[in-house]
């Protein structure tokens, strides 16, 4: 196989391998890097590929092993509420780039997995893809358990094939799956099976929410927040719990007369982690245009926002196909 043929073969599987690496690592940036590492390892070992498995299975094995190498001895990726209790709205914290934060994933780059397996316990993750709650739950699994569960329950591969992928026995795979499924049942939020992809009703709520934020209308935003709403803002380690705490923080940052005033927002509806999501742009006082501020992934239930995770990382915006700025007269 020459280089051109290999590239064509590898590119057929890039998108699904990216999702697989994302699930393993909890990081979009690292998933991109690991796909490239997978292709590099595959090309270097192309002479050892003897066709005993499909090219897809071969690439998945390389990708899984590359992820396991990265995860060896590493702390799990988290969101702020996984680390500590809620913060007071006016307490200031420094950004923490030393903490391995979860990252969002652009829906436009998602590739669906194969159907789940036929074992009854596989229903634990039936219908799951890349929702943040699922990614956070996966992080509680040791890396090899995580790999076994993803290969068996999401890709739908038989236990014998998973054992081959992980260079272990079928009994070891089944044992790992049993422990992994039990952990997921403990970690996934209640009523998880009732959370489908965004509905038109949720999209309508999201549009209403965007309008309120762009107008800096605190009263309108208040009406749309659940009483026990939770908000996070990685890489800042603090998080807020409850409508009153969120509104107290917004009152300071949205008031032009406040020393904490940050400016006005423009927001674009996007797809992230199969949840309602927006890209927020901020025009700071005196600035000529709106610049990337945060990718926010929301949970909407009963017409109210119950969770909002705002990822303050301008480097993620290109992955979502977003412009580098918005004009002030938009």
């Amino acid at each position: 196989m020459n280089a051109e043929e290999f590239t064509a073969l590898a590119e057929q599987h890039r998108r699904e391998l990216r999702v697989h690496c994302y699930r393993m690592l909890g990081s979009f940036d690292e998933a991109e890097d690991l796909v490239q590492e997978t292709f590099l390892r595959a090309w270097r070992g192309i002479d050892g590929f003897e066709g005993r498995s499909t090219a897809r299975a071969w690439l998945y094995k390389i990708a899984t092993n590359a992820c396991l190498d990265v995860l060896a001895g590493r702390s799990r990726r988290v969101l702020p509420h996984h680390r500590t209790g809620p913060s007071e709205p006016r307490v200031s914290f420094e950004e923490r780039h030393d903490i391995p934060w979860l990252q969002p994933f652009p829906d436009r780059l998602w590739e669906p997995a194969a159907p789940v397996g036929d074992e009854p316990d596989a229903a634990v993750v039936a219908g799951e893809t890349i929702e943040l709650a699922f990614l956070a739950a996966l992080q509680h699994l040791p890396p090899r358990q995580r790999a076994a569960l993803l290969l068996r329950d999401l890709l739908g591969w038989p236990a014998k094939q998973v054992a081959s992928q992980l260079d272990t026995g079928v009994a070891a795979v089944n044992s790992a799956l049993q422990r992994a499924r039990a952990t997921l049942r403990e970690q996934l939020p209640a009523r998880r099976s009732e959370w489908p992809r965004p509905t038109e009703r949720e999209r309508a709520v999201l549009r209403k929410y965007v309008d309120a934020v762009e107008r800096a209308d605190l009263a309108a935003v208040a009406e749309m927040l659940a009483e026990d709403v939770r908000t996070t803002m990685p890489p800042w380690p603090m998080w807020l719990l409850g409508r009153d705490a969120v509104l107290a923080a917004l009152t300071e940052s949205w008031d032009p007369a406040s020393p904490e005033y940050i400016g006005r927002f423009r927001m674009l509806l996007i797809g992230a982690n199969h949840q309602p999501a927006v890209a927020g742009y901020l025009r700071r006082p005196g600035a000529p245009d709106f610049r990337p501020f945060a990718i926010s992934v929301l949970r909407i239930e009963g017409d109210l926002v119950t969770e909002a995770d705002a990822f303050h990382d301008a480097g993620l915006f290109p992955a979502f196909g977003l412009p580098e700025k918005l004009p002030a007269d938009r």
Side-chain angles (χ1 to χ4, degrees):
M1 183 183 297
N2 60 36
E4 184 176 347
E5 292 170 334
F6 171 80
T7 299
L9 171 67
E11 288 300 323
Q12 293 177 25
H13 303 289
R14 175 182 291 276
R15 292 170 71 92
E16 61 175 316
L17 288 172
R18 184 194 288 124
V19 174
H20 178 63
C21 292
Y22 174 69
R23 290 189 181 116
M24 284 289 296
L25 302 169
S27 166
F28 174 79
D29 290 337
E30 287 193 336
E32 289 281 277
D33 294 341
L34 263 293
V35 171
Q36 292 304 117
E37 174 67 16
T38 295
F39 291 164
L40 180 60
R41 292 188 185 189
W43 175 245
R44 288 173 175 170
I46 191 67
D47 291 340
F49 176 56
E50 300 174 353
R52 289 193 294 265
S53 67
T54 65
R56 179 173 181 259
W58 176 61
L59 289 171
Y60 263 98
K61 182 170 185 175
I62 295 172
T64 300
N65 284 327
C67 290
L68 291 173
D69 289 345
V70 168
L71 290 169
R74 174 183 290 191
S75 300
R76 66 186 178 94
R77 287 191 172 268
V78 296
L79 289 173
H81 64 284
H82 299 142
R83 301 182 64 254
T84 185
S87 311
E88 293 296 324
R90 293 179 177 84
V91 174
S92 179
F93 290 82
E94 296 294 327
E95 296 181 31
R96 291 288 302 276
H97 295 284
D98 59 315
I99 297 172
W101 301 113
L102 279 174
Q103 288 186 319
F105 190 96
D107 283 357
R108 74 188 192 99
L109 299 179
W110 178 74
E111 182 78 19
V116 299
D118 56 3
E119 292 186 13
D121 281 351
V124 170
V125 293
E128 298 288 2
T129 50
I130 52 174
E131 288 91 341
L132 285 177
F134 182 50
L135 263 293
L138 282 177
Q139 301 305 302
H140 288 271
L141 302 179
R144 292 184 70 82
Q145 284 187 29
R146 196 180 310 172
L149 182 130
L150 292 176
L151 294 171
R152 178 68 184 92
D153 287 358
L154 286 184
L155 292 178
W157 291 358
K160 182 177 180 179
Q161 186 174 1
V162 175
S164 175
Q165 289 278 308
L166 298 178
D167 294 320
T168 189
V170 172
V173 166
N174 287 333
S175 177
L177 285 170
Q178 185 177 14
R179 295 194 300 272
R181 290 165 180 167
T183 300
L184 279 194
R185 280 192 292 270
E186 295 173 357
Q187 296 298 330
L188 285 174
R191 298 171 47 246
R192 184 62 194 86
S193 61
E194 299 175 20
W195 295 348
R197 294 196 194 182
T199 63
E200 184 52 46
R201 180 175 176 176
E202 289 174 337
R203 284 189 283 269
V205 172
L206 184 63
R207 288 191 291 269
K208 184 179 177 182
Y209 175 79
V210 165
D211 177 67
V213 172
E214 290 189 342
R215 291 186 290 105
D217 188 337
L218 275 173
V221 170
E223 292 180 355
M224 303 185 66
L225 297 180
E227 184 177 355
D228 60 349
V229 63
R230 187 203 73 219
T231 64
T232 72
M233 298 150 282
W236 282 274
M238 71 282 196
W239 63 282
L240 302 175
L241 179 64
R243 183 192 300 125
D244 291 344
V246 174
L247 291 176
L250 294 181
T251 297
E252 295 293 323
S253 60
W254 287 9
D255 180 4
S258 168
E260 304 297 326
Y261 179 61
I262 60 174
R264 297 295 297 270
F265 287 95
R266 292 289 181 268
M267 307 180 85
L268 301 178
L269 272 63
I270 59 172
N273 294 83
H274 294 166
Q275 296 177 230
V278 294
Y281 289 76
L282 177 67
R283 183 187 181 192
R284 297 188 180 278
D289 46 37
F290 291 85
R291 294 287 178 168
F293 184 70
I295 300 291
S296 294
V297 184
L298 285 70
R299 175 74 59 200
I300 297 173
E301 298 182 44
D303 294 341
L304 295 176
V305 176
T306 60
E307 300 173 11
D309 297 301
F311 299 88
H312 292 256
D313 183 351
L316 290 170
F317 276 60
F320 286 83
L322 294 164
E324 65 179 17
K325 63 182 178 180
L326 297 178
D329 60 352
R330 168 183 170 272

